[in-house]
Amino acid sequence: MTIEMLYSKIHRATVTDANLNYVGSITIDEELMQQADLKVGQKVDVLNINNGERFATYIIKGERGKRDICLNGAAARKVHKGDKIIIIAYAHMTPQEADNFEPKVILLDDNNNIIQN
């Protein structure tokens, strides 16, 4: 048996763009992806702190160092530029693996710079 556990979280990211005319996903700065241990194409939940929306999408790699967090396609309707969001990834683990696992959590400032990891 496995259970679904928090694997990684980017906390309080600021949405830098919402692009309705793009095939769906979330674009995340490559450096932020690496620091949070996230992969291109990985499924993530997005929680909008401003309006309470919660939805799932997948990751597209953004340009390193630009600090972009962009919601694309249908997801662009669920956010506004400047909204604060939480990006969460989960992993399936055995209960024994979960007992010893520490999720990767990074906290961002208003410009999407890492202030805690």
Side-chain angles (χ1 to χ4, degrees), residues 49-107:
I49 296 168
N50 292 79
N51 65 18
E53 288 280 358
R54 298 173 70 103
F55 55 92
T57 190
Y58 63 92
I59 298 171
I60 290 179
K61 179 172 59 177
E63 188 175 333
R64 177 181 276 288
K66 287 193 71 179
R67 296 299 188 251
D68 287 337
I69 301 288
C70 178
L71 278 301
N72 304 301
R77 294 238 185 244
K78 298 188 175 282
V79 300
H80 290 97
K81 187 175 177 179
D83 281 358
K84 292 289 186 186
I85 62 172
I86 302 167
I87 304 163
I88 301 174
Y90 304 93
H92 291 274
M93 303 175 198
T94 66
Q96 295 77 23
E97 289 172 319
D99 286 344
N100 298 313
F101 183 76
E102 289 291 326
K104 185 69 174 177
V105 177
I106 63 172
L107 176 62

